[in-house]
Amino acid sequence: MLKIDSKNVDFYYGSFHALKGINMEIEANTSVAFIGPSGCGKSTFLRLFNRMNDLIPGTRLEGTISIDARNIYDRSEKVDTLRKNVGMVFQKPNPFPKTIYENVAYGLRVNGITDSNYIEETVVKTIKQVALWDEVKDKLKESAFALSGGQQQRLCIARALAISPSILLMDEPTSALDPISTGKIEDLIHELKQEYTIVIVTHNMQQAARVSDKTGYFYLGELIEYDDTRKIFTNPEKESTQNYITGRFG
């Protein structure tokens, strides 16, 4: 059961101070939403959990982020192992230019799995897990690009789940989707949090209210408030949170 624990996290893009003194604990098997105006640090913070920001030159982290009591920025930590454990789903569906089947099998093959029976079982299991099986079971050898946007996004979630992560990060996973596809992804988040810890960045406050157990409100690089979602949306402690929730600014 993996808990994410962030302590005194400051993060810089060059001289720009993007995150300021963030403390947050995320319990295992819960879903947490990050809300706040554009450019307030939500996605930057999310990407610290699987070290995606390492790929950007000139970035610097101060403070600690631990998963299961291990500092993931310690020099001894292997980034490949971390990313196997912490899956990521992006804003726009990004299937590979491969078949539907090979999109899901890809991560297994990259991780050295050659047992074709195991690969097949895992592909079928994860496509079923994301409620896509009935729509694609007769098209597994077709290109993933033939799927609709909502189907592609569920395929990308299946691809992330195939390598058995414990944590799933979702950076605005429904912002490019229609309402029906969005509803399917939200239903999926409810199902998945029985087995995974899910952290989602969303601009859609109704979505945060529907899918998350806890919500963090970010503003100008600071975590203004972090509490049970119901409390954040009905009785926040901070006036700034209240103003954002009620649409007075942001």
Side-chain angles (χ1 to χ4, degrees):
M1 304 292 274
L2 296 187
K3 184 171 89 167
I4 306 172
D5 192 4
S6 306
K7 287 195 173 130
N8 303 319
V9 169
D10 283 79
F11 187 76
Y12 298 82
Y13 293 106
S15 60
F16 176 63
H17 196 176
L19 296 172
K20 301 163 187 168
I22 294 184
N23 291 285
M24 178 184 282
E25 283 187 9
I26 296 175
E27 295 296 333
N29 292 70
T30 57
S31 57
V32 171
F34 296 166
I35 62 169
S38 293
C40 65
K42 306 181 297 291
S43 292
T44 295
F45 189 52
L46 182 82
R47 287 161 181 256
L48 290 177
F49 298 155
N50 69 347
R51 295 185 54 171
M52 286 290 284
N53 295 329
D54 289 15
L55 305 169
I56 303 167
T59 55
R60 185 170 97 252
L61 172 79
E62 294 173 1
T64 59
I65 296 177
S66 303
I67 294 178
D68 206 21
R70 292 172 64 108
N71 178 0
I72 63 169
Y73 283 84
D74 189 88
R75 285 173 190 272
S76 64
E77 285 294 306
K78 292 186 169 63
V79 177
D80 290 352
T81 309
L82 171 70
R83 290 193 185 139
K84 211 159 105 178
N85 197 25
V86 184
M88 181 101 187
V89 177
F90 296 93
Q91 184 171 358
K92 289 203 172 87
N94 60 338
F96 300 141
K98 297 175 180 290
T99 65
I100 293 167
Y101 183 96
E102 282 303 324
N103 259 272
V104 184
Y106 177 82
L108 299 168
R109 297 194 202 283
V110 166
N111 283 294
I113 293 167
T114 54
D115 180 337
S116 55
N117 288 337
Y118 176 79
I119 290 173
E120 179 150 358
E121 278 171 26
T122 305
V123 169
V124 172
K125 182 182 90 174
T126 50
I127 291 177
K128 284 181 174 172
Q129 209 174 357
V130 300
L132 192 57
W133 180 251
D134 289 342
E135 297 163 50
V136 304
K137 61 178 188 253
D138 301 322
K139 310 179 188 170
L140 295 176
K141 291 195 163 61
E142 292 181 21
S143 166
F145 294 141
L147 298 175
S148 71
Q151 289 172 325
Q152 286 184 12
Q153 191 65 306
R154 279 183 286 151
L155 184 69
C156 292
I157 295 171
R159 186 176 72 200
L161 297 180
I163 54 172
S164 303
S166 304
I167 296 164
L168 192 59
L169 309 178
M170 297 180 149
D171 194 357
E172 294 192 54
T174 63
S175 65
L177 304 181
D178 62 85
I180 290 172
S181 299
T182 295
K184 286 183 175 173
I185 302 273
E186 289 182 6
D187 290 344
L188 184 54
I189 292 169
H190 281 290
E191 295 286 318
L192 293 176
K193 73 177 180 191
Q194 315 301 323
E195 292 178 58
Y196 306 89
T197 304
I198 296 175
V199 189
I200 178 171
V201 167
T202 179
H203 273 292
N204 181 330
M205 283 190 281
Q206 289 81 10
Q207 180 172 74
R210 286 191 295 264
V211 304
S212 66
D213 302 308
K214 287 190 138 187
T215 296
Y217 166 59
F218 288 77
Y219 185 61
L220 296 179
E222 293 182 34
L223 177 61
I224 305 297
E225 192 164 351
Y226 176 57
D227 211 328
D228 290 343
T229 295
R230 183 182 290 273
K231 186 170 187 313
I232 289 282
F233 281 97
T234 58
N235 188 27
E237 301 269 316
K238 304 279 173 67
E239 188 180 352
S240 165
T241 313
Q242 177 74 30
N243 287 343
Y244 183 71
I245 298 290
T246 55
R248 285 190 205 130
F249 80 102

